[in-house]
Amino acid sequence: MNFLIVGAGFTGAVIGRELVEHGHHTTIIDQRSHIAGNCYTERDKNTNVMQHVYGPHIFHTSDEEVWNYVNKHGEFIPYINRVKTTYQEQVYSLPINLHTINQFYKKAFNPVQAKEWISSIADKNIDEPENFEEQALKFVGKDLYEAFFKGYTKKQWGCDPKALPASILKRLPVRFNYDDNYFSHKYQGMPKDGYTTIIESILKHDNIKVLLNTKFEKGLINEFDHVIWTGQLDQWFDYREGRLGYRTLDFEKHEAVGDYQGTAVMNYGDERVPYTRISEHKHFTPWENHEKTIYFKEFSRSCGEEDIPYYPIRLVDDKVLLEKYIALAKKEKKVTFAGRLGTYRYMDMDVTIKEALSVSDNLLNVIKNKLNFQSFYHQETI
Ligand code: UDP
């Protein structure tokens, strides 16, 4: 069969590759001038530092299949993400761990004492946290919430943390030991030559045709047997029910000599600091040597019509709208919606790849058994 895939990020590339491996043909179009979507990396011209053009991406997964998949397409070097946060002129370690707690409260607790301390200050009236704030108050109490989560989250999401789902905070662990690994996954690493080369390798197949700087037009539907759409779900329907909310990011780029902040990611918990974090990209490749450095102040704001969508907001109104679009999507016969934008979810790269593999399996199964295409399926993630 002949497939059109819209979007050359991880989702489009993985699905495209799976389909051609099973004898089909795919054309992948992308409106941008490059592949790899928001995972796109390139070497900065002045410094030669590998730049994560759309913000830092660190690969982490516990899924063997996904880990083997990406390692087939390039070399990964072990990399542990150790994030710091600045609050009121002090630097603390994230995710909240025993060091953070001891430093914050000027104590020398052991794990048991720290646990007792946190449970004595945590809000015991909250059984099932219904939103981000309740989740934080239940697990770390008011002080730590206000220092590390409240201001940052307001800046990041542009709304009161009470309006956000608890699931966003569930991304971050609280640890009563000195483990400051931001992630808890078994496999963690950085692609030695950046993400673009990984996706290039996935796309390298005689039966995959990639067309960049190419916008999708509805007329294209008739030229293919089936379309896989990884763009925004509401865009497919010309936003007829309204626009799903996204946050976009602005990066203020700086160049300097030496080491600017001594680490890859420094968050800023204070609400009065206008950016959420500063990332200094040469620290993502500690095996490389660079005299110069580049760093990026990251500002989050509401995503306008011409901006690049990063984070789906999923406030109550968005959820109502999403249900309407899902109902519309389910009626479609010639298109499958996939990926972060296509299904309007907050997805890490490993989840994206896992799901692209399962979408491909479904498509291949439909073809093999001559079933009808299902347009909208995804695993439950946060
Ligand atoms: N968060 C926070 N303070 C921090 C880091 C994260 O309040 O210093 C909150 C914030 O709401 C963020 C969420 O936790 O959106 C998830 O953080 P993560 O680092 O996973 O976000 P990402 O890297 O995807 O932007």
Side-chain angles (χ1 to χ4, degrees):
M1 284 180 79
N2 203 6
F3 288 88
L4 173 68
I5 300 182
V6 186
F10 262 121
T11 297
V14 170
I15 296 177
R17 183 64 183 243
E18 289 300 296
L19 293 174
V20 298
E21 292 288 352
H22 289 82
H24 302 286
H25 286 73
T26 65
T27 298
I28 305 187
I29 61 170
D30 202 299
Q31 60 186 5
R32 291 181 180 170
S33 59
H34 60 73
I35 59 165
N38 281 4
C39 301
Y40 179 68
T41 50
E42 66 180 18
R43 293 227 175 247
D44 172 62
K45 291 201 177 49
N46 289 344
T47 62
N48 206 35
V49 169
M50 186 62 81
Q51 182 181 338
H52 298 218
V53 176
Y54 301 92
H57 285 74
I58 298 127
F59 204 90
H60 52 100
T61 189
S62 290
D63 191 293
E64 200 105 15
E65 184 190 17
V66 169
W67 185 239
N68 290 338
Y69 187 94
V70 291
N71 276 273
K72 260 195 339 219
H73 291 284
E75 186 182 345
F76 275 74
I77 298 194
Y79 179 86
I80 300 294
N81 192 27
R82 301 189 197 280
V83 178
K84 304 283 179 281
T85 185
T86 298
Y87 175 68
Q88 291 184 351
E89 318 306 325
Q90 277 283 319
V91 176
Y92 300 90
S93 155
L94 282 184
I96 293 179
N97 62 67
L98 192 48
H99 204 169
T100 326
I101 295 165
N102 278 333
Q103 199 188 354
F104 191 82
Y105 288 107
K106 298 191 170 52
K107 300 282 188 196
F109 290 139
N110 65 28
V112 173
Q113 291 167 324
K115 226 179 242 174
E116 281 169 5
W117 172 257
I118 292 293
S119 62
S120 78
I121 56 171
D123 193 328
K124 290 176 208 56
N125 298 319
I126 302 166
D127 253 357
E128 270 301 310
E130 283 184 3
N131 58 54
F132 184 103
E133 180 167 293
E134 286 186 6
Q135 176 79 17
L137 294 175
K138 180 176 163 79
F139 286 99
V140 295
K142 188 165 172 287
D143 302 338
L144 292 166
Y145 165 61
E146 289 187 347
F148 302 131
F149 300 134
K150 195 175 177 180
Y152 185 98
T153 296
K154 275 185 161 175
K155 291 188 284 186
Q156 169 77 355
W157 296 97
C159 63
D160 193 301
K162 284 194 200 74
L164 290 166
S167 58
I168 293 180
L169 190 61
K170 286 187 195 146
R171 289 171 59 84
L172 308 183
V174 176
R175 301 212 185 95
F176 296 98
N177 56 31
Y178 289 99
D179 179 5
D180 63 350
N181 184 342
Y182 200 68
F183 305 118
S184 307
H185 286 134
K186 186 168 167 192
Y187 306 109
Q188 307 182 26
M190 275 291 180
K192 184 170 160 277
D193 299 310
Y195 289 97
T196 308
T197 57
I198 302 285
I199 293 179
E200 225 163 48
S201 158
I202 299 172
L203 291 170
K204 201 167 171 350
H205 190 287
D206 287 348
N207 293 337
I208 298 181
K209 185 157 112 192
V210 179
L211 301 173
L212 298 176
N213 301 304
T214 306
K215 277 206 164 146
F216 173 76
E217 282 164 26
K218 282 270 149 80
L220 284 172
I221 301 174
N222 304 322
E223 292 175 30
F224 294 87
D225 297 312
H226 195 73
V227 179
I228 289 121
W229 174 259
T230 75
Q232 286 169 251
L233 175 61
D234 49 351
Q235 188 187 345
W236 177 267
F237 298 102
D238 300 318
Y239 310 102
R240 74 174 83 139
E241 301 291 335
R243 280 182 181 261
L244 291 166
Y246 280 94
R247 300 293 284 175
T248 191
L249 300 175
D250 294 319
F251 295 97
E252 192 182 284
K253 184 172 179 176
H254 299 265
E255 188 182 310
V257 173
D259 191 350
Y260 173 69
Q261 62 179 11
T263 193
V265 182
M266 177 65 76
N267 289 356
Y268 286 83
D270 294 285
E271 205 180 331
R272 66 185 161 76
V273 176
Y275 38 87
T276 50
R277 56 185 175 183
I278 299 180
S279 49
E280 185 174 5
H281 292 196
K282 74 174 175 183
H283 293 296
F284 288 127
T285 54
W287 58 90
E288 293 183 2
N289 284 314
H290 298 277
E291 249 172 61
K292 287 185 178 167
T293 190
I294 45 171
Y295 60 94
F296 299 81
K297 292 185 175 171
E298 189 171 320
F299 300 81
S300 169
R301 63 178 167 82
S302 170
C303 185
E305 293 185 13
E306 300 301 318
D307 296 319
I308 297 168
Y310 281 79
Y311 297 92
I313 308 182
R314 302 173 310 153
L315 296 181
V316 178
D317 289 353
D318 298 307
K319 287 197 169 150
V320 172
L321 205 52
L322 177 60
E323 288 308 319
K324 289 187 187 167
Y325 280 118
I326 291 178
L328 284 174
K330 283 184 172 161
K331 288 191 202 141
E332 295 279 326
K333 296 275 175 283
K334 237 193 139 175
V335 55
T336 294
F337 298 90
R340 177 179 62 98
L341 301 175
T343 60
Y344 192 64
R345 280 170 309 147
Y346 190 171
M347 286 159 81
D348 287 331
M349 290 180 283
D350 63 326
V351 180
T352 305
I353 293 169
K354 185 78 179 169
E355 209 164 284
L357 290 169
S358 103
V359 169
S360 313
D361 278 352
N362 280 315
L363 289 168
L364 292 165
N365 188 40
V366 163
I367 298 166
K368 193 168 138 215
N369 296 306
K370 301 194 166 54
L371 306 170
N372 291 326
F373 282 110
Q374 239 178 303
S375 60
F376 202 90
Y377 32 49
H378 60 67
Q379 287 140 8
E380 236 5 270
T381 59
I382 57 164

